[in-house]
Amino acid sequence: MTVNTDVIRKIDDQIMRSNSIICRHISNLDFLGRGAVSQDILKHLRDLVEHAMYRIYACENNVICYNYDNIKSAITYVKRKGKLKFLWRFHDYLLIVASHYSLSPEDSERVMLKYYEFMLQVKAYLKAEFNIDVLENISNFPLNTDKNLQEYYEKIAQKLTAITYYNSAKSNRYYIHKIKPFFVNQQIFYEVTFFPTQGKENKFERIIAFTTLNISKYYAVKLWTVEDTVTILEKEMPIHIIVNWEVAIRPVEIERFSDVFGQNLSQYAKSSEGRGLMHFLTETGYNLVELIRFEEDFYQQIRQNILTRFNAKTSHLFDIFDRCREIINGNLPGNNILRYLLYHMNKRVISDQIDNKNTKLSDLYLSYGCIPFDKMPFCTHPCNHKTRLTDLFDCIDTTDRNHEILARYILINTKQRGQLYTPKAELENFGDIDTLAKIFNGKLYYKHPLRRIETRSQHYFIREHEEDTKVIIKKLVGLSGAETGVENYTAYADSWLNSDTTHVDCEEKKKALRVMFSNSSVAVIYGSAGTGKSTLINHISNLFRDASRLYLANTNPAVDNMKR
């Protein structure tokens, strides 16, 4: 195909212009710091990625002029290329950042660490395909990797790059829990955490393995693994290596998903159509939401290719996908819960959503409890399941959902950081906070008034959380009254302190133990590190050894400490 060299030259000039700005910012790391540099780089990455896509499009099509419409066509074109998924997914992530608000230096820094993998992939692709050198100084961007951990990763990378054959590989079906990229000499490797598909997820059954393969995280997969060792600090450590993989959605998950439409495709994942779909998802790296969202002609092309290539006599599964397309592309009720179920296709999650036919969700067989998530997915959850924000960004359109993300931010502040009231200054990146809060409150189901965002003294909070906190404080105040102490407590404590088996070697602790529950059912232990708080808790535990006791803590190390 004839290529317009003038168009190519203009595209290359723009790629190098964006690259020059990015590299210049990276060179200022010592002066500005990683956060500020990340903030500046993000503004130019989108332009670099879009012109990389434009370069591919121009080389494979008869592009006769350089204009913005062609850039839009290039983005659509590249999204049809499974092998280029890293490029268009990177572009989608950049759009998410750009469409919401200017990130703080701290947030930009976290985002940059996530994008580092994409940047290395863009760099490698442009060099291999077009001999264009970009991001020349990306190695100067510090990842703050622990030196001991980096040595471990380097030894693993040596094993992965030296692999020639493994006839002893064993295969099994797993769910992916987490995929963490790590980098050695600007090459990308992956640390994969996975667990068996049978039974509930249990952290004690998780397995960690390493690979050079970019494995899909969305569905059950079949993994071929081998065992090996690396030597660290003169000791051999066993490791698992993944040498091959494929998407392997379980038949029961296809069956459960078909129940959402009132059908029953029992064991259909093993059919010709099902096997063709698994091969397509493995080969391209697409997820089912991306498949459903393709333009009509490309979707029909994929549909026909799968059915023809695997000699499928029926298309029951794609008939269901056709219905999904009607609901999702038409933005009909039920489209967001469908997107999420298609994104993960997990039996337990799907089963918890199924109920009788729901006229409020396009006649899908879904519980009424799915409606809040379907209406505002970024601040609510499906039935009996907690969602990850990154998953939601992957499968649900974020347009006009800032009010939901604001509510989620306030929720996280309370539930994870213990901050009941979020100051207005902390939320300025969201723009007009009061308008967003009004939109959120207006979309709530009328029977959920406690979920409202409210404000007081330039602080924002969820009404339910404040009400719960007030109830807890009232209860504690009631228990701390003069008439609520443990009957005959001081005499009981003295008897215990004077026993031969008790060893309390601090007069201050003895005094506290004698009076803490004499006039109150509540005691507060406070003090700086090393002052003996844990020791005193241990004494209290021994004092009430014959009573029923319940211990609560925020972290697993704290729980382990109390057990000791």
Side-chain angles (χ1 to χ4, degrees):
M1 179 177 293
T2 303
V3 176
N4 188 315
T5 55
D6 185 55
V7 171
I8 295 296
R9 179 181 54 78
K10 289 180 179 178
I11 296 172
D12 288 352
D13 285 346
Q14 187 57 50
I15 288 174
M16 298 314 298
R17 192 174 297 119
S18 299
N19 176 65
S20 177
I21 296 171
I22 293 169
C23 289
R24 187 171 69 244
H25 285 306
I26 292 177
S27 68
N28 288 328
L29 273 165
D30 291 340
F31 178 67
L32 295 176
R34 187 167 68 171
V37 168
S38 300
Q39 199 174 27
D40 293 334
I41 286 174
L42 288 173
K43 297 176 182 178
H44 302 282
L45 275 173
R46 177 180 169 183
D47 192 46
L48 175 67
V49 171
E50 287 183 347
H51 280 80
M53 299 165 93
Y54 196 2
R55 182 64 151 85
I56 297 165
Y57 177 68
C59 287
E60 298 181 10
N61 296 273
N62 186 23
V63 176
I64 60 174
C65 62
Y66 177 95
N67 57 46
Y68 186 72
D69 287 338
N70 279 336
I71 293 179
K72 291 192 289 185
S73 299
I75 294 169
T76 301
Y77 179 79
V78 169
K79 284 193 173 185
R80 295 185 172 197
K81 304 286 187 180
K83 69 176 183 178
L84 298 175
K85 60 183 180 289
F86 73 91
L87 200 55
W88 51 263
R89 281 189 182 146
F90 190 15
H91 183 259
D92 284 348
Y93 287 136
L94 291 169
L95 287 179
I96 289 169
V97 172
S99 65
H100 281 89
Y101 39 80
S102 251
L103 294 176
S104 68
E106 294 77 14
D107 290 333
S108 296
E109 190 172 335
R110 285 192 290 270
V111 169
M112 271 298 299
L113 293 177
K114 180 176 179 62
Y115 290 171
Y116 192 85
E117 175 190 359
F118 287 120
M119 293 168 70
L120 286 181
Q121 289 173 317
V122 171
K123 174 182 174 66
Y125 183 84
L126 289 177
K127 178 63 176 177
E129 294 296 319
F130 306 120
N131 198 30
I132 298 175
D133 289 305
V134 297
L135 305 174
E136 299 93 325
N137 62 347
I138 190 173
S139 60
N140 294 336
F141 193 90
L143 296 177
N144 285 353
T145 305
D146 180 87
K147 290 183 179 179
N148 293 328
L149 189 60
Q150 187 63 20
E151 180 188 355
Y152 176 57
Y153 283 147
E154 287 172 358
K155 293 291 182 69
I156 290 171
Q158 290 174 10
K159 288 285 185 179
L160 295 177
T161 52
I163 287 177
T164 54
Y165 66 92
Y166 277 107
N167 293 326
S168 59
K170 300 183 229 180
S171 69
N172 212 331
R173 198 192 308 250
Y174 301 97
Y175 286 125
I176 301 297
H177 173 70
K178 181 173 65 174
I179 299 177
K180 174 187 172 185
F182 62 94
F183 313 99
V184 177
N185 297 327
Q186 295 191 34
Q187 286 184 279
I188 305 168
F189 304 90
Y190 300 96
E191 177 182 302
V192 184
T193 306
F194 52 94
F195 57 93
T197 55
Q198 301 301 320
K200 292 185 177 180
E201 179 181 357
N202 185 330
K203 66 181 181 180
F204 299 108
E205 294 184 0
R206 290 177 190 166
I207 305 165
I208 294 177
F210 303 91
T211 186
T212 58
L213 305 171
N214 193 356
I215 298 171
S216 292
K217 63 180 180 178
Y218 315 108
Y219 311 111
V221 293
K222 186 178 284 188
L223 300 178
W224 281 263
T225 62
V226 297
E227 295 180 1
D228 209 323
T229 60
V230 293
T231 303
I232 301 290
L233 300 176
E234 300 181 352
K235 290 186 178 181
E236 279 199 346
M237 296 181 61
I239 61 171
H240 296 279
I241 294 175
I242 300 171
V243 296
N244 199 8
W245 75 283
E246 65 181 29
V247 173
I249 297 173
R250 299 163 65 198
V252 70
E253 289 162 343
I254 297 290
E255 183 179 345
R256 288 283 79 77
F257 187 73
S258 68
D259 289 341
V260 174
F261 297 85
Q263 301 186 34
N264 189 341
L265 300 185
S266 179
Q267 297 297 310
Y268 203 73
K270 296 179 179 178
S271 67
S272 297
E273 185 186 10
R275 286 187 289 106
L277 179 66
M278 303 306 144
H279 184 271
F280 169 79
L281 296 175
T282 304
E283 190 176 52
T284 63
Y286 292 131
N287 61 56
L288 291 174
V289 180
E290 291 162 343
L291 171 63
I292 297 299
R293 293 286 291 136
F294 280 133
E295 295 174 345
E296 180 66 20
D297 63 332
F298 190 47
Y299 169 76
Q300 291 298 338
Q301 178 185 326
I302 293 170
R303 189 187 204 274
Q304 190 58 46
N305 286 346
I306 289 175
L307 296 177
T308 302
R309 183 176 179 182
F310 286 82
N311 196 29
K313 305 300 183 185
T314 59
S315 61
H316 298 314
L317 190 52
F318 269 96
D319 291 343
I320 288 177
F321 289 163
D322 291 344
R323 177 61 178 145
C324 290
R325 281 175 62 81
E326 292 176 17
I327 295 172
I328 291 174
N329 293 342
N331 200 31
L332 301 178
N335 83 92
N336 287 322
I337 186 68
L338 272 185
R339 284 172 183 258
Y340 190 76
L341 297 182
L342 283 164
Y343 181 78
H344 271 314
M345 198 71 81
N346 179 284
K347 178 204 168 188
R348 182 180 61 81
V349 177
I350 298 172
S351 297
D352 285 345
Q353 317 311 313
I354 293 174
D355 206 332
N356 297 321
K357 183 183 287 189
N358 191 329
T359 57
K360 293 185 179 296
L361 292 176
S362 301
D363 288 337
L364 298 171
Y365 288 76
L366 292 171
S367 164
Y368 275 83
C370 297
I371 295 176
F373 174 80
D374 193 63
K375 287 189 173 182
M376 291 197 286
F378 286 91
C379 58
T380 48
H381 300 285
C383 300
N384 304 319
H385 178 67
K386 299 294 185 183
T387 58
R388 296 177 181 175
L389 187 59
T390 51
D391 290 346
L392 297 176
F393 281 147
D394 273 354
C395 65
I396 296 177
D397 186 9
T398 60
T399 304
D400 297 327
R401 296 196 181 275
N402 269 11
H403 57 286
E404 299 175 34
I405 298 173
L406 170 69
R408 190 181 185 107
Y409 188 95
I410 297 171
L411 281 165
I412 289 173
N413 260 3
T414 302
K415 292 190 173 183
Q416 296 184 12
R417 301 168 189 158
Q419 185 177 343
L420 179 58
Y421 301 104
T422 299
K424 186 173 184 177
E426 191 176 320
L427 303 172
E428 287 178 348
N429 285 336
F430 285 93
D432 189 344
I433 310 166
D434 292 327
T435 298
L436 292 176
K438 185 176 179 181
I439 293 171
F440 173 79
N441 292 339
K443 289 180 176 289
L444 287 175
Y445 183 43
Y446 75 97
K447 290 185 178 181
H448 295 165
L450 291 178
R451 291 183 60 202
R452 290 175 57 87
I453 297 176
E454 300 197 352
T455 180
R456 183 182 302 117
S457 302
Q458 299 291 299
H459 286 71
Y460 293 79
F461 61 96
I462 303 297
R463 181 177 168 187
E464 179 180 25
H465 297 158
E466 186 184 63
E467 294 297 327
D468 287 347
T469 304
K470 286 159 66 176
V471 169
I472 292 168
I473 293 173
K474 185 176 180 180
K475 179 70 173 176
L476 290 174
V477 169
L479 290 171
S480 66
E483 304 299 324
T484 61
V486 177
E487 187 175 359
N488 298 321
Y489 170 77
T490 300
Y492 172 74
D494 284 339
S495 174
W496 178 78
L497 287 167
N498 293 327
S499 68
D500 294 335
T501 58
T502 301
H503 302 286
V504 180
D505 57 359
C506 172
E507 291 301 319
E508 188 178 9
K509 289 184 177 65
K510 288 181 180 179
K511 181 179 178 181
L513 287 166
R514 291 187 72 252
V515 301
M516 59 179 12
F517 296 122
S518 58
N519 296 315
S520 172
S521 294
V522 178
V524 179
I525 302 172
Y526 57 94
S528 57
T531 54
K533 298 186 297 296
S534 297
T535 303
L536 182 55
I537 291 172
N538 188 46
H539 291 325
I540 297 169
S541 180
N542 289 325
L543 174 63
F544 290 101
R545 181 179 295 277
D546 296 328
S548 175
R549 292 156 294 168
L550 171 67
Y551 298 88
L552 303 176
N554 286 332
T555 64
N556 286 324
V559 171
D560 293 339
N561 188 40
M562 286 197 295
K563 285 180 179 178
R564 285 194 299 272

